[in-house]
Amino acid sequence: MMKGKILIVDDQFGIRILLNEVLQKEGYDTYQAANGVQALDIVSKHSPDLVLLDMKIPGMDGIEILKRMRVVDQDIRVIIMTAYGELDMIQEAKDLGALTHFAKPFDIDDIRAAAKKYLPVPNSN
């Protein structure tokens, strides 16, 4: 049985490490990207099943990353993470097909639950 693959896109190292650890413990294969160029490279090479995408990334922002990921894989499942108050960005991301969003600082249990909801772990209780 294949493990689900999750790509974590965030320019903050600490958040990537935290999400990486939590999601690996849940049984997912994880990939990390610090920016849009890395994220798109991973999407094209590894076809992740789910992406956790921070909207506030220097350079190519989350909306642009989301648009470009959709070009590579139109069915890609994306959960976005935003700073408090980025409502216009949230709406635009949802228009682009984002599944749901979390405001930072997020509760790690909420992220874990969302991952399980949108990408069930095989053979887990």
Side-chain angles (χ1 to χ4, degrees):
M1 187 77 181
M2 291 289 294
K3 282 184 181 184
K5 295 186 285 193
I6 299 183
L7 167 59
I8 299 153
V9 188
D10 200 304
D11 62 311
Q12 291 177 273
F13 179 72
I15 290 176
R16 289 202 310 275
I17 294 299
L18 171 67
L19 290 170
N20 193 61
E21 191 173 311
V22 167
L23 294 168
Q24 279 189 355
K25 275 196 183 121
E26 290 298 318
Y28 298 106
D29 278 334
T30 56
Y31 300 88
Q32 295 180 51
N35 57 52
V37 173
Q38 289 175 7
L40 292 163
D41 186 50
I42 291 166
V43 168
S44 59
K45 282 185 180 144
H46 301 288
S47 304
D49 302 297
L50 183 65
V51 181
L52 294 176
L53 174 61
D54 184 50
M55 288 281 104
K56 268 276 159 66
I57 293 187
M60 201 189 301
D61 72 9
I63 293 292
E64 186 63 27
I65 296 169
L66 180 52
K67 284 178 180 168
R68 293 190 191 196
M69 285 195 301
R70 282 248 175 273
V71 173
V72 179
D73 176 1
Q74 63 184 19
D75 300 319
I76 199 160
R77 285 178 277 183
V78 180
I79 292 171
I80 62 164
M81 301 179 288
T82 62
Y84 176 74
E86 291 168 349
L87 295 175
D88 50 337
M89 242 180 176
I90 294 166
Q91 189 52 55
E92 191 173 355
K94 291 203 167 152
D95 292 343
L96 288 166
L99 299 166
T100 189
H101 88 276
F102 290 97
K104 290 181 171 182
F106 50 75
D107 183 325
I108 200 70
D109 290 328
D110 291 344
I111 299 263
R112 191 186 278 124
K116 280 184 178 162
K117 176 180 173 180
Y118 293 110
L119 185 58
V121 182
N123 310 326
S124 72
N125 302 325

